[in-house]
Amino acid sequence: MDDSAPSAELAKRRANFVPLTPLDFLRRSAMVYPDKMAVVYGPLRRSWAEVERRAKSLASAIAGAGVRPGEVVSVLAFNTPTMLEAHFGVPGAGAVLNAINTRLDAPTVAFILEHAESRLLLVDRGLSTVARAALERLANPPCVVWIDDPHAQAVDPVGDTEYEDFLASGDPAQPWRTPEDEWESIALNYTSGTTGNPKGVVYHHRGAHLNALGNVITFGLQPDSVYLWTLPMFHCNGWTYPWAVTAVGATHVCLRTVDPAEIFRLIAEEKVTHLCGAPVVLTMLIHAPDAVKRRFDHGPVQVATGGAAPPSAVIAGMERMGFRLTHLYGMTECYGPSTGCAWQEEWADLPLEERAVKMARQGVPNVTMSEQTVLDPDTGREVPADGETLGELALRGNTVMKGYLKNAGATEDALRDGWLHTGDLAVLHPDRYVEIKDRAKDIIISGGENIASLEVEEVLYKHPHVMEAAVVARPDAKWGETPCAFVTLKPGSEGLVTEADIVAFCRDNLAHYKIPRTVVFGALPKTSTGKIQKFVLRDQAKGL
Amino acid sequence: MDDSAPSAELAKRRANFVPLTPLDFLRRSAMVYPDKMAVVYGPLRRSWAEVERRAKSLASAIAGAGVRPGEVVSVLAFNTPTMLEAHFGVPGAGAVLNAINTRLDAPTVAFILEHAESRLLLVDRGLSTVARAALERLANPPCVVWIDDPHAQAVDPVGDTEYEDFLASGDPAQPWRTPEDEWESIALNYTSGTTGNPKGVVYHHRGAHLNALGNVITFGLQPDSVYLWTLPMFHCNGWTYPWAVTAVGATHVCLRTVDPAEIFRLIAEEKVTHLCGAPVVLTMLIHAPDAVKRRFDHGPVQVATGGAAPPSAVIAGMERMGFRLTHLYGMTECYGPSTGCAWQEEWADLPLEERAVKMARQGVPNVTMSEQTVLDPDTGREVPADGETLGELALRGNTVMKGYLKNAGATEDALRDGWLHTGDLAVLHPDRYVEIKDRAKDIIISGGENIASLEVEEVLYKHPHVMEAAVVARPDAKWGETPCAFVTLKPGSEGLVTEADIVAFCRDNLAHYKIPRTVVFGALPKTSTGKIQKFVLRDQAKGL
């Protein structure tokens, strides 16, 4: 036999080639587990058959609203059953799901809706105010459907149609549109962006399917797993867990707001087995008042965390409460989790501090990410695996984004030379585990959200008394990091501006979580060529 | 955005598109778990780093021997570390692995080597005799490398080069050849074929990768799993478990011959967690002498079985010894396991007999098999899901074969109309689980009535003295055909049961026309994989 001249009878055909898509996961779980609990949200319970019926209604309604395959449907919502439905209903119409960060300000939301050429916006009633302000800025706003969530604040809704009415306009018997090519887009997620506007990261059906299977394997999801939604679904599509949890027919427990008392209640009462979250979630759980802490005896709860390495105190604190931590690494450009600190049996015998050092590393690629390396920025070659030489973490595989929407330059830069260049500075340990040492792009990660220091600096520079500004991360017990601003005032402005004035100015111009928590006045350290030395400021911020 | 006119910057490139292949699994496990135990074989222990080094040497040696990508390398060997290495070393050279059934006769082996145009044959020393006889029949025999297994009988080896010398001719530093297209062939497996010559089923890298991930998920493999090789690796590439177990870096425990004492020893001493096997393996374990049965306390051992439904007595017997059964269905044409009897929580409360009825079904498609149906042979449409209407089980997905090598007619027939036609007669239950009633050709037609041989066999298995049973059609002047039963009694039951007893037992449990008119006691002829050879029994029945 010779594959160089493949015979026609061994070619692809309908029986043996099906484009990979996570849509198949819901179809299967609705068939295998029609009556099994799929979604829990407060007192609400929905079975897999119901979730499929609703997702198919949504797909049909979206198509009925005139949205064509390849067009974008945006969703501005919390971790509710609707958000989960959208992960199937939107691609089920052949459309592209654009889940928007609920903490963004109106101008940024407006930018995203316009850049994505969004045709339809689903918006939680509780987010009406920012949505309305964003829509008012648009020349051609999308159709708007509002979600009357029972737990939302009773503000005036935006848009003409309520979600349940919209759903009722769809036909659950209409088969959904599965991709003809697994490279077709399934999602569009905007990064916070270090310079200028956010960039739109495009995912395809193949990558979403594979990353979900990878998460099932890495996190050990089984049909009897119960997954708690402590990680926002707008964040890299909830690290692809809407699809992963569905793939095995486990149970999604929705969570509108991250509240320790509610988290402990749900873990104990719904018998949660798995959850993901930024380090701030872990800190909140550890420091929750004893009154809200609940004991649970259904076995350890698996917790995956990423963004910043969990310190030993956090590992120990979580273990004492009955959790088991796994440290992951990922970014929007690679569908969320792509590497993880795979456990080695011999670590079990290490003292806590040594074990924490091992566990704090970003680790090794998941089974669905093909390759990982750390590249010397000058030579483009792998750095020595010595745990010391800094380079840029790079990834290659089927769960790397298609590219940035309408941004060929940034795409080419990020995906050049056969690698996704993460922009994270890392070392390669002798055991081939990577450890990130710094963020090349000066990103601040606060409560799991990326904050571009440059964006904050741009606002500071607009203040009439500010001459120079630099923003760096300051370690924070609760949020992981918070923005710390170093400001040099214009000559003659000294004494005219207080820290509170600067913070107030930022509040008028920035999303709440991006506002500097600390402001320091004085001259900025610079290199001989005039570049601000952020590493010096970072050290200063640590000591504040 | 509009995917109908995809922009160049969102196209496939090296950073975000990597052809799926199980070769990546070994590369990853050797990186993540270099010192972890990969293979156990008697006193032999090899780490993942060693397995990778040897597999790379093998790939290099194969290329060095002049085998080009797309050409076939055959292996005639038991479940030894060499056989496992071949699952990576052969595709690592870009070649196609042809694992040959060790129990075939020389003419059939010769037919396979010739039909596959095999360029190289690796042969276990213990199989020298059949290999030599097969090679003598060939005009252009392949190069032959013999494996000097320490556990092989000391017969004269065949071929010029010993395996370790061959391996030493390769360079473990040479990178292996990964597929340029995931549709490239990885394996060629000949079906036993009940009529005419065996057919060569071709697998691709994509399907092998996906089916392995599906097995990891369905069987719950984890890095600390220990997998015992009770299923032959020549059987659909061991149901793709050489790749699945490697994908998570678990441990392979090799087993040269299926011997109950050795199986119990390995389970207890190597702390085996998972094994697969034909029903005959389960029967052997249950009926093993008490002296060889070992207790184990490291938790239940997961057992996947397929081929025939496990009767309730087998389920109960296995559970009593500490095993947990899962019933799978598959065939060579779909990479082994493709459907499984997914567990439903509410079954736990059922009495054993009722639970066994549920568990005996072939079930639902695995997460990596897209669709399953039962087709009416006349209309080509799905039968009603009533648990009664017979039709042909059909499958569709990425783990369906490319086709039969050099057999366009059989390929077209098997893969027509967008489905793999399995040739198995099944019903679709109201819960969408399929249950196979018989092979199409095993149906007995008596007085115009269809009798499923399986239904009669299930009754026979319930008889307290019956260990194994098979029912086939016997030509009959009056009825056309009548059921003829071949029965093996349990050890110690010989002489306690007569033909009349068996018939009387059937009369209490079956419709009159389904009762065997003839009962024959004795051992049953079986294939190498433990399947009862009904065509042999049919011939015998004709002569009665």
Side-chain angles (χ1 to χ4, degrees), chain B residues 162-178:
Chain B
E162 199 279 318
Y163 182 74
E164 292 297 328
D165 294 334
F166 184 66
L167 219 59
S169 75
D171 175 7
Q174 195 177 309
W176 55 31
R177 185 192 174 281
T178 52

Short mmCIF file of all heavy atoms in Angstrom, two decimals, chain B residues 162-178:
data_model
loop_
_atom_site.label_atom_id
_atom_site.label_comp_id
_atom_site.label_asym_id
_atom_site.label_seq_id
_atom_site.Cartn_x
_atom_site.Cartn_y
_atom_site.Cartn_z
N GLU B 162 18.34 -10.35 14.80
CA GLU B 162 17.60 -10.38 16.06
C GLU B 162 17.14 -8.95 16.36
O GLU B 162 17.79 -7.98 15.98
CB GLU B 162 18.50 -10.93 17.17
CG GLU B 162 17.72 -11.42 18.41
CD GLU B 162 17.32 -10.30 19.33
OE1 GLU B 162 18.15 -9.40 19.56
OE2 GLU B 162 16.16 -10.32 19.83
N TYR B 163 15.99 -8.83 17.03
CA TYR B 163 15.35 -7.52 17.24
C TYR B 163 16.26 -6.51 17.93
O TYR B 163 16.34 -5.35 17.52
CB TYR B 163 14.06 -7.72 18.05
CG TYR B 163 13.29 -6.44 18.31
CD1 TYR B 163 12.57 -5.84 17.28
CD2 TYR B 163 13.30 -5.84 19.56
CE1 TYR B 163 11.88 -4.66 17.51
CE2 TYR B 163 12.61 -4.66 19.79
CZ TYR B 163 11.89 -4.08 18.76
OH TYR B 163 11.21 -2.91 18.99
N GLU B 164 16.98 -6.93 18.98
CA GLU B 164 17.82 -5.97 19.71
C GLU B 164 18.96 -5.47 18.81
O GLU B 164 19.36 -4.31 18.90
CB GLU B 164 18.37 -6.58 21.00
CG GLU B 164 17.31 -6.86 22.07
CD GLU B 164 16.59 -5.60 22.58
OE1 GLU B 164 17.21 -4.52 22.63
OE2 GLU B 164 15.38 -5.70 22.89
N ASP B 165 19.47 -6.35 17.94
CA ASP B 165 20.51 -5.91 16.99
C ASP B 165 19.91 -4.92 15.98
O ASP B 165 20.54 -3.95 15.60
CB ASP B 165 21.10 -7.12 16.24
CG ASP B 165 21.87 -8.03 17.17
OD1 ASP B 165 22.38 -7.52 18.21
OD2 ASP B 165 21.95 -9.24 16.89
N PHE B 166 18.68 -5.25 15.54
CA PHE B 166 17.99 -4.36 14.59
C PHE B 166 17.80 -2.99 15.23
O PHE B 166 18.07 -1.95 14.61
CB PHE B 166 16.65 -4.99 14.22
CG PHE B 166 15.88 -4.23 13.17
CD1 PHE B 166 16.36 -4.12 11.86
CD2 PHE B 166 14.67 -3.62 13.49
CE1 PHE B 166 15.63 -3.43 10.89
CE2 PHE B 166 13.95 -2.92 12.52
CZ PHE B 166 14.43 -2.83 11.23
N LEU B 167 17.34 -2.99 16.49
CA LEU B 167 17.13 -1.74 17.22
C LEU B 167 18.44 -0.95 17.31
O LEU B 167 18.45 0.28 17.15
CB LEU B 167 16.64 -2.08 18.64
CG LEU B 167 15.57 -1.19 19.25
CD1 LEU B 167 14.32 -1.18 18.41
CD2 LEU B 167 15.25 -1.69 20.66
N ALA B 168 19.53 -1.67 17.54
CA ALA B 168 20.83 -1.00 17.69
C ALA B 168 21.28 -0.35 16.39
O ALA B 168 22.12 0.56 16.41
CB ALA B 168 21.87 -2.01 18.17
N SER B 169 20.70 -0.79 15.27
CA SER B 169 21.06 -0.17 13.98
C SER B 169 20.37 1.18 13.81
O SER B 169 20.69 1.95 12.90
CB SER B 169 20.69 -1.09 12.81
OG SER B 169 19.28 -1.07 12.60
N GLY B 170 19.39 1.48 14.67
CA GLY B 170 18.67 2.76 14.58
C GLY B 170 19.29 3.81 15.48
O GLY B 170 20.03 3.49 16.41
N ASP B 171 18.94 5.05 15.22
CA ASP B 171 19.47 6.17 15.99
C ASP B 171 18.33 6.80 16.79
O ASP B 171 17.42 7.41 16.22
CB ASP B 171 20.06 7.20 15.01
CG ASP B 171 20.53 8.46 15.73
OD1 ASP B 171 20.51 8.48 16.99
OD2 ASP B 171 20.90 9.42 15.04
N PRO B 172 18.37 6.65 18.14
CA PRO B 172 17.26 7.18 18.94
C PRO B 172 17.17 8.70 18.90
O PRO B 172 16.16 9.27 19.32
CB PRO B 172 17.59 6.69 20.36
CG PRO B 172 19.06 6.42 20.35
CD PRO B 172 19.41 6.00 18.95
N ALA B 173 18.20 9.36 18.39
CA ALA B 173 18.17 10.83 18.33
C ALA B 173 17.49 11.31 17.05
O ALA B 173 17.22 12.51 16.91
CB ALA B 173 19.60 11.38 18.39
N GLN B 174 17.23 10.40 16.14
CA GLN B 174 16.60 10.83 14.88
C GLN B 174 15.13 11.13 15.13
O GLN B 174 14.40 10.29 15.63
CB GLN B 174 16.75 9.69 13.86
CG GLN B 174 16.47 10.13 12.43
CD GLN B 174 16.70 8.98 11.46
OE1 GLN B 174 17.76 8.34 11.48
NE2 GLN B 174 15.72 8.70 10.63
N PRO B 175 14.68 12.34 14.80
CA PRO B 175 13.26 12.65 15.04
C PRO B 175 12.39 11.76 14.17
O PRO B 175 12.76 11.44 13.05
CB PRO B 175 13.12 14.11 14.58
CG PRO B 175 14.44 14.58 14.14
CD PRO B 175 15.37 13.42 14.07
N TRP B 176 11.25 11.33 14.74
CA TRP B 176 10.43 10.48 13.88
C TRP B 176 9.57 11.29 12.95
O TRP B 176 9.39 12.48 13.10
CB TRP B 176 9.69 9.40 14.63
CG TRP B 176 8.82 9.81 15.76
CD1 TRP B 176 8.12 10.97 15.89
CD2 TRP B 176 8.54 9.01 16.92
NE1 TRP B 176 7.42 10.94 17.04
CE2 TRP B 176 7.65 9.76 17.69
CE3 TRP B 176 8.91 7.76 17.35
CZ2 TRP B 176 7.15 9.27 18.89
CZ3 TRP B 176 8.42 7.29 18.53
CH2 TRP B 176 7.56 8.03 19.29
N ARG B 177 9.06 10.58 11.97
CA ARG B 177 8.27 11.23 10.94
C ARG B 177 6.82 11.27 11.41
O ARG B 177 6.17 10.24 11.55
CB ARG B 177 8.38 10.42 9.64
CG ARG B 177 7.67 11.07 8.47
CD ARG B 177 7.55 10.12 7.29
NE ARG B 177 6.75 10.71 6.22
CZ ARG B 177 5.42 10.77 6.23
NH1 ARG B 177 4.75 10.28 7.23
NH2 ARG B 177 4.76 11.32 5.21
N THR B 178 6.30 12.46 11.66
CA THR B 178 4.89 12.58 12.01
C THR B 178 4.10 12.83 10.72
O THR B 178 4.67 13.32 9.74
CB THR B 178 4.67 13.72 13.02
OG1 THR B 178 5.28 14.91 12.52
CG2 THR B 178 5.27 13.37 14.36
#
